[in-house]
Amino acid sequence: MTPEKFTEAAQQFLARRVSGTKAYSLADAIKPLTIEEALAVQQEIIKLRPDVVAGWKCLLPLAEDKLIIAPIFSETMQKGDQCWLMKDNTKVRIEPEIAFVLSKDLPARDEEYSEAEIDEAIGSCHMALELIQSRFADDSDAVFPERLADCLVNQGLYIGPEIDIKTAFSASKFQIFISQTEQSGALNEQKFDGAHPNPLPQLPVYWAINFMTKRGTTFKQGEALTTGSFAGVVELNFDKKTYIEYAGIGKFDVTFKELV
């Protein structure tokens, strides 16, 4: 693919970031087919967005040809008692995660950062919700690099309460309770035996920082890295007060509002 093709692919992916999108694979001429092409398209998306990168989603690689890394943009990062997001098949779709927020820059460089250097740069840890939007149709034949280029169903990140760093670093398994209050006062409750997809939630941070800094990316103070769901994708309703608890770690309330 030529640079112009990367730009065209990025423009099409950005145009799909609207409510109700369920698209098919890109035209063959602009379809990323390798990890390198996918990451090049991501970089074009970063250039074309009006806002800046404020975070990253990451996970330890599933395989050599299945890397999990994607930018999250400042206009899609949220806090507070309301969270605005686009519906996906009429529902709120979230992934309960832990986010690691940097308190200092980690500049691009060829030499790897040690785990101790990265730990020292993590200023806080938070309960977090990755906001999910599947922009490909269920029967789409899009290959993994194309999905990676589109930032792997991410539509944003909600940053919840700060939690103890030592607790976050050891949080491989814990129960998760999510409930929504109906107008009648009844509770719709969901319970999950939460387990991180990697042995520990900070391990993807180490991989992502070293992978991307060697490629020329500088991670900046304030950026949040979120590292995988403890319960897969959770579907909820809009406009209901929602209670979320990570047992023994923290809890909060939020109401999801539809972004149109």
Side-chain angles (χ1 to χ4, degrees):
M1 289 175 66
T2 64
E4 292 78 16
K5 298 297 185 183
F6 294 139
T7 300
E8 187 176 349
Q11 289 170 334
Q12 291 205 23
F13 283 135
L14 282 172
R16 295 178 176 188
R17 290 200 173 205
V18 295
S19 183
T21 295
K22 292 293 178 185
Y24 287 90
S25 187
L26 296 180
D28 289 345
I30 60 171
K31 182 190 304 181
L33 296 176
T34 67
I35 296 298
E36 284 300 321
E37 289 179 345
L39 296 176
V41 173
Q42 282 190 7
Q43 289 301 309
E44 289 302 306
I45 290 173
I46 290 171
K47 293 177 185 177
L48 291 171
R49 290 269 314 192
D51 52 351
V52 298
V53 173
W56 296 84
K57 66 173 289 178
C58 56
L59 199 65
L60 292 181
L62 303 178
E64 186 175 344
D65 61 347
K66 286 193 175 181
L67 304 187
I68 309 297
I69 183 77
I72 304 173
F73 297 98
S74 58
E75 288 185 356
T76 72
M77 298 276 284
Q78 300 181 61
K79 297 180 180 180
D81 59 1
Q82 291 188 340
C83 176
W84 293 80
L85 71 162
M86 290 176 279
K87 66 183 178 182
D88 190 350
N89 290 335
T90 77
K91 292 289 187 178
V92 173
R93 300 181 78 222
I94 60 166
E95 291 187 346
E97 307 192 5
I98 290 176
F100 300 81
V101 179
L102 300 178
S103 60
K104 59 184 290 187
D105 290 356
L106 291 172
R109 70 185 198 187
D110 294 331
E111 178 187 356
E112 283 207 353
Y113 284 95
S114 67
E115 291 185 4
E117 287 177 301
I118 296 172
D119 289 349
E120 196 272 331
I122 295 173
S124 62
C125 299
H126 298 256
M127 300 175 70
L129 305 174
E130 185 179 355
L131 311 179
I132 301 300
Q133 181 194 24
S134 297
R135 293 175 286 271
F136 286 101
D138 292 342
D139 59 346
S140 171
D141 61 355
V143 294
F144 181 82
E146 191 173 358
R147 297 176 187 273
L148 175 62
D150 187 42
C151 299
L152 296 168
V153 305
N154 177 269
Q155 69 159 303
L157 185 67
Y158 175 88
I159 301 291
E162 185 173 349
I163 60 178
D164 178 72
I165 290 180
K166 289 183 178 179
T167 300
F169 272 53
S170 62
S172 60
K173 295 182 179 181
F174 51 84
Q175 288 190 317
I176 298 173
F177 302 93
I178 302 178
S179 62
Q180 291 194 301
T181 304
E182 300 296 331
Q183 289 182 347
S184 65
L187 286 179
N188 287 330
E189 298 178 288
Q190 298 185 62
K191 176 182 175 182
F192 304 90
D193 292 324
H196 195 272
N198 296 145
L200 290 169
Q202 69 272 24
L203 298 182
V205 175
Y206 303 147
W207 171 80
I209 286 174
N210 280 313
F211 178 74
M212 293 301 291
T213 53
K214 288 179 181 178
R215 297 178 63 88
T217 294
T218 289
F219 288 82
K220 297 180 180 179
Q221 179 182 355
E223 288 184 4
L225 291 94
T226 189
T227 66
S229 177
F230 285 84
V233 176
V234 178
E235 292 192 344
L236 298 165
N237 295 317
F238 286 95
D239 299 315
K240 308 291 184 185
K241 187 174 182 179
T242 306
Y243 170 81
I244 298 175
E245 178 181 356
Y246 297 178
I249 296 177
K251 57 189 176 182
F252 65 96
D253 294 316
V254 64
T255 299
F256 298 104
K257 309 295 289 185
E258 184 180 353
L259 184 65
V260 294

